[in-house]
Amino acid sequence: MPSRLTTALLACFAILPVTLHAYAEDAVDKANNPLHLASSFAVQDYYTPEIDGTNQHTNDVLFRATIPIDSNDLIAVPQIMRVTVPMATRPQSSGGYDSGIGDINLFDIFLLKQDGVKLGVGPLLTANSAAKEELGTGQWQAGLSAVAVNTSPRWLTGALVQWQKSFTGDSDRAHVETATLQPFLIYKMSRGWFLRSTAIWSYNVKNDDYVIPLGLGGGRAILVGDYIVNSFIEPQWTVAHRGDYQPEFTLYAGFSIMLK
């Protein structure tokens, strides 16, 4: 007969894979949930090797910080502030490429519902901060963001909707008004691995141009001490578009570090 200590050790080893699976699933949920209340820093890259109708490419490296704010006497619900600083590369009209800081984006999401399907709504602001004309719109823009997220044992699903419109800026540049929809599907596998589809659908309200890409990629979220480290790669193909100079294919990849 095995000793009590041996029996206890065997029981621990029997439940260890289940425990590790639970931790991995939790890490995937938190790392990919835009409404998770935790500080994080991410670097993401959108590389488009060829724009429709040209042989030119574009690239955007996004440096993104997320900061949660607890509810207080002034605002009764928690908030999630997210700032994105892009480093953009765009073709010049005279040939060659320009690179530098693009238009910085900030939004503040108020987490209105935390049980079941989580819901968040809040304002957004895009600054006229581009270092060069080709790297931004030349306009200050403001609008709204809304996020819905649902989690199940195997899936994390939801959508981010944004609308913004220019209100001031360079008088020589066209005013802009855009709407975007980012549906996201995360399929959770074992050991922190996951499949993902998170392409952003864009619509230009001013001229009715649009682009609808679909993505399919994968990644992994792991626990490292008090942090969740998440990395992924997601190729995205344009399946429908209207207007000139739209991307045909984009390679999207990213890396983030988040407090548990």
Side-chain angles (χ1 to χ4, degrees):
M1 293 289 292
S3 67
R4 291 182 178 178
L5 177 59
T6 301
T7 301
L9 288 173
L10 289 173
C12 288
F13 282 117
I15 66 171
L16 183 59
V18 176
T19 304
L20 290 176
H21 176 74
Y23 286 155
E25 180 184 299
D26 186 57
V28 172
D29 276 338
K30 291 178 177 178
N32 292 284
N33 185 346
L35 293 181
H36 179 56
L37 291 165
S39 298
S40 68
F41 177 76
V43 180
Q44 301 175 0
D45 184 68
Y46 285 88
Y47 173 63
T48 300
E50 186 171 317
I51 304 170
D52 183 44
T54 77
N55 59 0
Q56 297 172 314
H57 71 269
T58 64
N59 194 73
D60 291 279
V61 181
L62 310 181
F63 299 92
R64 176 170 289 165
T66 302
I67 303 170
I69 302 173
D70 290 334
S71 56
N72 51 57
D73 293 339
L74 181 62
I75 300 176
V77 297
Q79 303 168 67
I80 301 171
M81 294 193 69
R82 191 180 83 178
V83 59
T84 303
V85 180
M87 292 294 294
T89 297
R90 293 290 184 275
Q92 298 174 334
S93 57
S94 58
Y97 290 86
D98 274 332
S99 295
I101 292 178
D103 291 342
I104 297 172
N105 176 264
L106 171 69
F107 74 65
D108 185 10
I109 290 291
F110 296 84
L111 190 50
L112 303 180
K113 184 174 180 289
Q114 301 183 57
D115 298 323
V117 178
K118 295 184 178 181
L119 296 174
V121 178
L124 69 85
L125 177 71
T126 299
N128 177 18
S129 57
K132 298 181 180 180
E133 182 175 327
E134 293 87 352
L135 308 179
T137 64
Q139 301 291 317
W140 284 81
Q141 302 170 67
L144 292 171
S145 296
V147 188
V149 179
N150 187 46
T151 300
S152 68
R154 279 296 182 186
W155 292 92
L156 187 149
T157 60
L160 167 63
V161 180
Q162 294 187 318
W163 167 83
Q164 58 184 331
K165 183 177 182 178
S166 59
F167 60 91
T168 189
D170 188 341
S171 59
D172 295 329
R173 303 286 297 275
H175 286 275
V176 295
E177 184 177 359
T178 58
T180 63
L181 169 64
Q182 183 182 21
F184 50 87
L185 298 171
I186 308 293
Y187 179 71
K188 293 171 277 190
M189 300 185 291
S190 61
R191 301 178 183 273
W193 292 97
F194 56 88
L195 299 176
R196 56 178 284 143
S197 179
T198 63
I200 300 172
W201 304 356
S202 299
Y203 175 63
N204 187 325
V205 179
K206 289 293 186 181
N207 60 16
D208 288 332
D209 286 355
Y210 62 86
V211 58
I212 300 177
L214 291 179
L216 179 60
R220 192 182 190 192
I222 60 174
L223 295 173
V224 181
D226 292 330
Y227 299 92
I228 298 172
V229 179
N230 184 44
S231 58
F232 66 87
I233 186 167
E234 182 184 329
Q236 299 178 348
W237 295 265
T238 296
V239 295
H241 73 86
R242 177 179 176 178
D244 298 327
Y245 310 117
Q246 303 285 14
E248 295 180 347
F249 168 80
T250 297
L251 185 61
Y252 175 40
F255 172 85
S256 67
I257 300 175
M258 171 184 288
L259 285 171
K260 287 195 297 187

